[in-house]
């Protein structure tokens, strides 16, 4: 434990000392720029958004240029630091790759600097990725590692895509010794040397295919987390299990909702149990975990497996999971009345996430719809049709969901909301849900779709749902 934010610029790796081209002047680009500026590293900013480019140039004093101009002068640079959202087929990044330049993302930049001792002794990195459940697992693991501070004296912090950027964690006034980092497929794509102490791959389903080009490429980038010193994987997921086999590693720790084999963490009765070397050790209760349901237990298994791999004592794992509270819009019960619970899982923005939200929820009134982005929903409807008391649909692709329900579950009452005003639309679907829900049922907002067709984001969608639930029940 100690004061952070003291830096040793002399330890900056050679490839980052001169000739750095920073691609992207948005949020991630600004974070990387602040980091490089704090180290006294000279860099040039490339972006076609003139306003963002000018603002970052004024803030840091760095020269700026458009991407075409940067591509024409690519030979002047030695390293490219790109914002993770920039696609690999961006002409500037293609030019950099052809020129043999090292192209890295913001997380890779932070890892290299940390490993070089720029911020003092290198941190312990625990990386979490997957299609769904990343934020909950990261929060659970950070809570467990915070409990472990009582034994180790090492402070832990959740960072990455969970709110606090990795660069801000490294520059924070108070040092964090353990970085529990939620990482996206984009960040992993742009990471070539990243090797955390432990990395967990939760699950895989089609997502961000427009960015990666194919599911195979998306899965390959996600699988980079398995290069960790200790790899942990959700072996119930067939795609993850395949990637584990393809990795050639025989030391991967699996986690499963079933009884664990040796080298796995799983569920026995009502307990989360680790079985290493033939001995079964209870790590925590599988009851009372938040968020409730199978998805919550699954994420808890992942967090417990990573923590156990780092030597965290079972009582600390149990305390961390017991004290964890789900972040907004990720499966929290936002209202309960008349024997009906209302669950906000607005973060379930694809069919795979919606499946996790619905699984084990009992009889539900399902609130869904938004931008499906080409995702197929028939399998989702088929898997959960037996649970539906009724379904309320809204958003741009409501007709696609309605067609799947009419084909697979024609007996289920369905409300198709044509209203496009976000508040009025949510009022209508919640009113429908309240009229159809019976004591013992759960009304679940698990849209299976993105929110920007109608709402400012998934947070507004969840907040309107919660407020309407109070009024209508």
């Amino acid at each position: 434990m100690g004061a952070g934010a003291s830096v040793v610029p002399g330890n900056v790796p050679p490839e980052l000392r001169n000739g750095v081209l920073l691609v992207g002047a948005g949020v991630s680009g600004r974070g990387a720029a602040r980091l490089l500026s704090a180290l006294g590293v000279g860099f040039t900013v490339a972006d076609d958004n003139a306003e963002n480019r000018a603002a970052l140039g004024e803030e840091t004093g760095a020269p700026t240029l458009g991407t075409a101009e940067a591509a024409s002068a690519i030979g002047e640079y030695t390293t490219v630091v790109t914002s993770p959202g920039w696609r690999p087929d961006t002409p500037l990044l293609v030019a950099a790759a052809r020129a043999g330049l090292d192209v890295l993302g913001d997380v890779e930049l932070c890892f290299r600097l940390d490993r070089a001792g720029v911020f003092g002794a290198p941190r312990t990195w625990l990386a979490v990725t997957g299609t769904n459940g990343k934020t909950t697992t990261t929060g659970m693991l950070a809570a467990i590692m915070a409990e472990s501070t009582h034994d180790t004296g090492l402070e832990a912090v959740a960072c990455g895509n969970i709110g606090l950027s990795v660069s801000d964690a490294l520059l924070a006034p108070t040092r964090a010794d353990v970085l529990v980092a939620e990482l996206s497929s984009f960040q992993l794509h742009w990471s070539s040397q990243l090797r955390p102490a432990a990395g967990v791959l939760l699950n895989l389903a089609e997502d961000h295919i427009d960015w990666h080009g194919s599911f195979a490429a998306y899965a390959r980038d996600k699988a980079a987390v398995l290069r960790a010193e200790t790899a942990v994987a959700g072996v119930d997921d067939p795609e993850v299990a395949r990637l584990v086999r393809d990795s050639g590693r025989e030391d991967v720790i699996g986690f499963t909702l079933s009884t664990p084999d040796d080298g796995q963490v799983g569920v026995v009765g009502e307990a989360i149990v680790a079985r290493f070397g033939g001995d079964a050790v209870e790590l925590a209760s599988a009851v009372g975990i938040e968020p409730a349901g199978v998805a919550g237990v699954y994420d808890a298994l992942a967090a417990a497996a990573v923590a156990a791999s780092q030597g965290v004592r079972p009582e600390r794992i149990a305390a961390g999971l017991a004290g964890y509270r789900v972040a907004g819009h990720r499966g929290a019960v936002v209202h309960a009345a008349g024997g009906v619970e209302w669950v906000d899982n607005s973060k379930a923005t694809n069919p795979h996430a919606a499946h996790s939200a619905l699984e084990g929820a009992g009889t539900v009134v399902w609130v869904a719809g938004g931008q499906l982005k080409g995702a197929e929903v028939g399998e989702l409807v088929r898997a959960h049709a037996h649970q539906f008391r009724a379904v309320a649909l809204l958003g741009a692709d409501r007709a696609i969901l309605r067609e799947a329900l009419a084909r697979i579950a024609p007996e289920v009452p369905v409300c198709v909301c044509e209203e496009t005003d976000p508040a009025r639309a949510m009022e209508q679907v919640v009113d429908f849900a309240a009229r159809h829900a019976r004591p013992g049922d759960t009304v679940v907002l698990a849209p299976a779709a993105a929110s920007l067709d109608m709402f400012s984001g998934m947070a507004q969608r969840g907040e309107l749902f919660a407020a309407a639930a109070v009024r209508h029940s």
Side-chain angles (χ1 to χ4, degrees):
M1 189 185 311
S6 58
V7 298
V8 186
N11 287 350
V12 172
E15 71 271 19
L16 293 169
R17 291 179 184 170
N18 295 292
V20 175
L21 178 65
L22 179 62
V23 177
V27 174
S28 295
R30 288 197 299 274
R34 285 195 298 269
L35 187 58
L36 294 172
S37 295
L39 300 175
V41 173
F43 59 93
T44 299
V45 178
D47 198 314
D48 287 332
N49 185 312
E51 184 178 347
N52 286 353
R53 192 174 69 218
L56 189 53
E58 183 176 347
E59 177 185 338
T60 62
T64 67
L65 69 174
T67 60
E69 186 181 357
S72 65
I74 200 69
E76 298 178 15
Y77 306 102
T78 57
T79 302
V80 173
V81 176
T82 180
S83 295
W86 286 57
R87 288 166 42 154
D89 59 0
T90 301
L92 174 55
L93 299 180
V94 171
R98 285 176 178 165
L101 272 61
D102 199 5
V103 181
L104 50 145
D106 56 340
V107 169
E108 174 77 1
L109 170 66
C110 290
F111 185 79
R112 293 191 190 187
L113 293 171
D114 182 53
R115 277 297 170 272
V118 172
F119 308 100
R123 274 75 170 165
T124 297
W125 287 57
L126 307 177
V128 178
T129 198
T131 302
N132 298 301
K134 297 185 294 296
T135 299
T136 299
T137 303
T138 301
M140 288 176 168
L141 181 55
I144 293 170
M145 300 311 294
E147 288 289 336
S148 184
T149 300
H150 299 298
D151 298 328
T152 65
L154 300 177
E155 298 287 347
V157 67
C159 57
N161 287 349
I162 200 168
L164 177 71
S165 70
V166 179
S167 60
D168 284 345
L170 291 173
L171 291 172
T174 301
R175 175 184 168 92
D177 306 285
V178 180
L179 303 182
V180 184
E182 177 188 326
L183 302 183
S184 70
S185 58
F186 308 152
Q187 291 166 324
L188 288 164
H189 177 88
W190 297 119
S191 297
S192 58
Q193 295 181 18
L194 175 66
R195 191 171 186 236
V200 56
L201 179 57
L202 300 170
N203 45 48
L204 282 172
E206 287 200 3
D207 203 15
H208 304 303
I209 305 305
D210 55 342
W211 195 95
H212 292 275
S214 68
F215 176 73
Y218 168 71
R220 186 167 57 249
D221 286 334
K222 285 288 195 183
V225 78
L226 298 178
R227 296 196 300 252
E229 294 171 31
T230 298
V232 179
V235 293
D236 290 347
D237 186 298
E239 289 295 336
V240 173
R242 178 185 62 79
L243 288 170
V244 169
R245 290 193 299 271
D246 291 348
S247 74
R249 294 186 64 163
E250 297 182 356
D251 60 347
V252 175
I253 297 173
F255 66 92
T256 173
L257 290 164
S258 303
T259 301
D261 294 331
D262 191 35
Q264 294 183 340
V265 174
V267 178
V268 177
E270 295 185 339
I272 293 175
V273 172
R275 189 179 296 279
F276 299 139
D279 296 325
V281 177
E282 182 173 335
L283 302 180
S285 174
V287 178
I289 288 171
E290 187 175 318
V294 173
V297 174
Y298 188 85
D299 296 340
L301 286 163
V306 174
S309 80
Q310 300 303 296
V312 178
R313 293 193 293 140
E315 53 265 43
R316 299 302 186 194
I317 295 174
L321 291 176
Y324 174 75
R325 293 296 174 265
V326 69
H329 319 300
R330 292 174 171 85
V333 177
V334 294
H335 185 59
V340 176
E341 289 190 335
W342 297 72
V343 173
D344 169 14
N345 215 314
S346 184
K347 183 69 167 57
T349 56
N350 57 55
H352 189 271
H355 168 72
S356 297
L358 293 168
E359 192 172 25
T363 302
V364 303
V365 177
W366 181 33
V367 180
Q371 293 171 304
L372 288 169
K373 298 182 291 187
E376 203 280 323
V377 294
E379 184 177 344
L380 173 67
V381 171
R382 189 172 292 106
H384 298 284
H386 66 285
Q387 294 177 249
F388 297 151
R389 174 83 65 191
V391 177
L393 303 174
L394 75 172
D397 290 330
R398 59 193 179 278
I400 296 174
L401 283 157
R402 178 69 185 97
E403 186 280 328
L405 285 158
R407 176 167 42 87
I408 298 166
E411 72 286 355
V412 173
V414 177
C415 166
V416 181
C417 177
E418 304 294 338
E419 177 62 63
T420 57
D421 176 80
R424 289 198 295 268
M426 192 60 76
E427 285 286 331
Q428 287 185 20
V429 298
V430 167
D431 176 69
F432 171 86
R435 286 187 284 108
H436 282 78
R438 300 289 179 266
D441 290 354
T442 305
V443 180
V444 181
L445 172 65
S451 59
L452 294 178
D453 59 327
M454 183 179 294
F455 304 93
S456 61
M458 63 94 177
Q460 186 199 28
R461 179 166 63 185
E463 288 160 4
L464 289 173
F465 171 80
V470 173
R471 288 191 294 272
H472 284 273
S473 60

